[in-house]
């Protein structure tokens, strides 16, 4: 296997891992550029990797084409248009509460632009891992009674 094939397959596997984490867990990609790269990389990288592995690999052709074929079937079942509409990252509109113990943990009102379909809205507890990734959870019950949450004044809201 050549270095080009290893690099292409490595990037493809990383894209698949990030896509699965973002789409099926509470792990979210915060960066719009990275999320667009992952989702469009899935759509473009799958047939590219499948074709590359089919024509380049000699000994491991079945193994090298099985995984991209399964992903291609998944894309066709879900629908490429639905995946394209999911490329928009969630944007913070209002920070409602901050955590007294961890500065990277907040409760936020967020929106997601769906293009011509309008906006998705949610209020979630957010734990920022980096500038690119965050973990979201449901809002804790009776948030006003919990000591660790501090309500944010309107003057300090994020625009």
């Amino acid at each position: 296997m050549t270095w080009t094939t290893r690099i292409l397959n490595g990037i493809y596997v990383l894209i698949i891992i990030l896509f699965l984490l973002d789409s099926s867990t509470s792990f979210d990609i915060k960066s719009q550029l990275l999320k667009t790269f992952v989702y469009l990389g899935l759509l473009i990288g799958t047939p590219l990797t499948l074709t590359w592995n089919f024509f380049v690999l000699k000994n491991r052709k079945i193994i090298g084409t099985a995984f991209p074929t399964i992903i291609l079937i998944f894309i066709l079942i879900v629908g490429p248009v639905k995946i394209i509409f999911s490329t928009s990252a969630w944007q913070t509109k209002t920070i409602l509460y901050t955590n007294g113990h961890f500065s990277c943990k907040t409760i936020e009102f967020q929106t997601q632009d769906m293009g011509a379909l309008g906006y998705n809205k949610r209020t979630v507890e957010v734990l920022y891992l980096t500038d690119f990734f965050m973990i979201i959870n449901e809002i804790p019950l009776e948030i006003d009674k919990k000591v660790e949450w501090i309500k944010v004044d309107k003057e300090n809201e994020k625009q």
Side-chain angles (χ1 to χ4, degrees), residues 17-82:
I17 290 169
L18 287 174
F19 174 79
L20 291 175
L21 282 172
D22 185 68
S23 63
S24 60
T25 66
S26 61
F27 180 88
D28 275 359
I29 299 173
K30 182 182 178 212
S31 168
Q32 180 63 53
L33 183 64
L34 180 60
K35 189 164 184 172
T36 302
F37 175 77
V38 167
Y39 279 63
L40 294 181
L42 176 76
L43 293 175
I44 296 168
T46 299
L48 177 69
T49 305
L50 180 61
T51 305
W52 180 270
N53 287 344
F54 182 77
F55 288 114
V56 172
L57 293 179
K58 301 203 185 313
N59 299 338
R60 302 182 201 177
K61 189 176 284 195
I62 294 175
I63 295 171
T65 58
F67 186 64
T69 303
I70 292 169
I71 300 298
L72 183 63
I73 292 169
F74 168 77
I75 291 170
L76 294 175
I77 290 172
V78 171
V81 174
K82 188 172 183 178

Side-chain angles (χ1 to χ4, degrees), residues 32-157:
Q32 180 63 53
L33 183 64
L34 180 60
K35 189 164 184 172
T36 302
F37 175 77
V38 167
Y39 279 63
L40 294 181
L42 176 76
L43 293 175
I44 296 168
T46 299
L48 177 69
T49 305
L50 180 61
T51 305
W52 180 270
N53 287 344
F54 182 77
F55 288 114
V56 172
L57 293 179
K58 301 203 185 313
N59 299 338
R60 302 182 201 177
K61 189 176 284 195
I62 294 175
I63 295 171
T65 58
F67 186 64
T69 303
I70 292 169
I71 300 298
L72 183 63
I73 292 169
F74 168 77
I75 291 170
L76 294 175
I77 290 172
V78 171
V81 174
K82 188 172 183 178
I83 294 173
I84 290 172
F85 278 129
S86 300
T87 60
S88 181
W90 288 94
Q91 301 296 319
T92 300
K93 292 298 179 185
T94 307
I95 297 176
L96 303 172
Y97 293 89
T98 59
N99 191 294
H101 304 293
F102 301 106
S103 61
C104 59
K105 195 171 184 181
T106 59
I107 293 182
E108 302 176 352
F109 173 70
Q110 298 178 339
T111 60
Q112 181 185 37
D113 186 10
M114 298 301 290
L117 301 176
Y119 287 92
N120 286 334
K121 299 172 184 170
R122 69 181 182 184
T123 303
V124 290
E125 179 183 335
V126 179
L127 173 63
Y128 289 103
L129 301 175
T130 66
D131 289 339
F132 300 108
F133 306 111
M134 62 186 172
I135 295 177
I136 56 114
N137 292 314
E138 292 184 24
I139 302 171
L141 298 174
E142 299 176 359
I143 195 163
D144 290 330
K145 296 179 181 177
K146 295 200 174 189
V147 177
E148 68 264 14
W149 294 107
I150 302 166
K151 190 169 179 86
V152 175
D153 296 329
K154 293 288 183 187
E155 301 162 0
N156 298 331
E157 283 184 0

